Amino acid sequence: MNKNYFEKSNVDNVQFGQFGLRVLTTDANVGEGFVAIQAIEDSVISCDINDYPDTEGDTSIISLSLTTGIVIYGRFVNLQVASGKVIAYKG
């Protein structure tokens, strides 16, 4: 199903990952978009950061170590889990 994430009624849902989640383990490579990634084990991840045009900042994360319990927020795509286990919230 294709959702219009920018309709007023959907904006908060997207921000808080209310469109679902994926539990990902080692060797996962997912092309979906995510708004938050939570490490439920010590993990190492890589991904692209899908940001808006003309936005400053990094465009990818390579081999980022996340300790258990850490949550990072952003617009993540092409998520790869090199080790550990994460919950990736769709958005």
Side-chain angles (χ1 to χ4, degrees), residues 32-82:
E32 297 173 282
F34 300 102
V35 295
I37 301 169
Q38 178 180 10
I40 54 178
E41 294 178 357
D42 288 351
S43 304
V44 176
I45 65 165
S46 296
C47 62
D48 294 325
I49 301 170
N50 185 12
D51 55 358
Y52 298 102
D54 301 325
T55 303
E56 294 182 19
D58 294 335
T59 58
S60 65
I61 294 172
I62 300 171
S63 298
L64 177 65
S65 295
L66 301 175
T67 56
T68 302
I70 293 293
V71 180
I72 60 173
Y73 299 93
R75 296 182 51 161
F76 309 107
V77 293
N78 301 321
L79 176 60
Q80 297 176 343
V81 180

Side-chain angles (χ1 to χ4, degrees), residues 19-37:
F19 287 120
L21 59 87
R22 298 260 188 247
V23 176
L24 305 172
T25 57
T26 302
D27 295 327
N29 185 349
V30 183
E32 297 173 282
F34 300 102
V35 295
I37 301 169

Side-chain angles (χ1 to χ4, degrees), residues 6-26:
F6 298 102
E7 287 181 8
K8 175 90 170 113
S9 60
N10 288 331
V11 170
D12 288 336
N13 291 339
V14 170
Q15 290 175 324
F16 295 106
Q18 292 178 0
F19 287 120
L21 59 87
R22 298 260 188 247
V23 176
L24 305 172
T25 57
T26 302

